[in-house]
Amino acid sequence: MSTLTIEGWCKRDAAQKSTPVGDIHFDIQGPTHRLLEQAEEYLQQSHETETMVDVDMDTLNLVLPEGYAPLADCRLRVYLSQEQRGQFHLVGHRASDGSLIYSNAVLIAQLS
């Protein structure tokens, strides 16, 4: 299991710039890690630009900064870097107003 603490962002609508929200904490456990690796392989073979991985909220142990929870939805967006290495970040929408909440990206290979 990897416990991550990553800087988070909020984007209220498409016209606004993202604003920092503080640290987002969540866990990537074995089954989710395997799904991320499979998504990376899929992107490398299919030449798609991105794919989304559903998460199990019971194992994610998501902790958002005050005022940004709960999320109405939560997934992991997987895409390839220029070097064709898989990266992912958490994305979701704040339940109260639909604002996009997301984290900075992490290399899948960095998970242990």
Side-chain angles (χ1 to χ4, degrees):
M1 175 175 71
S2 295
T3 300
L4 303 172
T5 299
I6 304 173
E7 187 173 5
W9 300 87
C10 176
K11 188 168 185 141
R12 297 199 194 303
D13 61 51
Q16 283 191 319
K17 286 189 172 190
S18 297
T19 57
V21 301
D23 289 337
I24 296 175
H25 308 274
F26 59 96
D27 296 334
I28 298 295
Q29 297 189 19
T32 304
H33 186 187
R34 282 189 291 285
L35 289 172
L36 290 170
E37 289 173 333
Q38 291 169 355
E40 178 180 18
E41 290 171 13
Y42 166 77
L43 292 174
Q44 290 167 339
Q45 294 170 2
S46 71
H47 305 291
E48 296 284 331
T49 57
E50 66 180 59
T51 190
M52 300 298 273
V53 172
D54 292 328
V55 294
D56 178 354
M57 292 302 288
D58 293 334
T59 63
L60 191 64
N61 299 320
L62 177 64
V63 178
L64 293 167
E66 188 174 333
Y68 293 95
L71 296 182
D73 57 6
C74 186
R75 300 195 302 172
L76 300 173
R77 177 180 168 262
V78 181
Y79 61 97
L80 298 178
S81 67
Q82 290 181 343
E83 297 82 25
Q84 297 298 298
R85 297 186 69 193
Q87 298 185 356
F88 73 96
H89 65 109
L90 181 135
V91 296
H93 294 89
R94 184 167 47 186
S96 64
D97 64 3
S99 294
L100 176 66
I101 305 295
Y102 65 96
S103 72
N104 282 350
V106 177
L107 277 171
I108 294 171
Q110 288 182 317
L111 300 174
S112 52

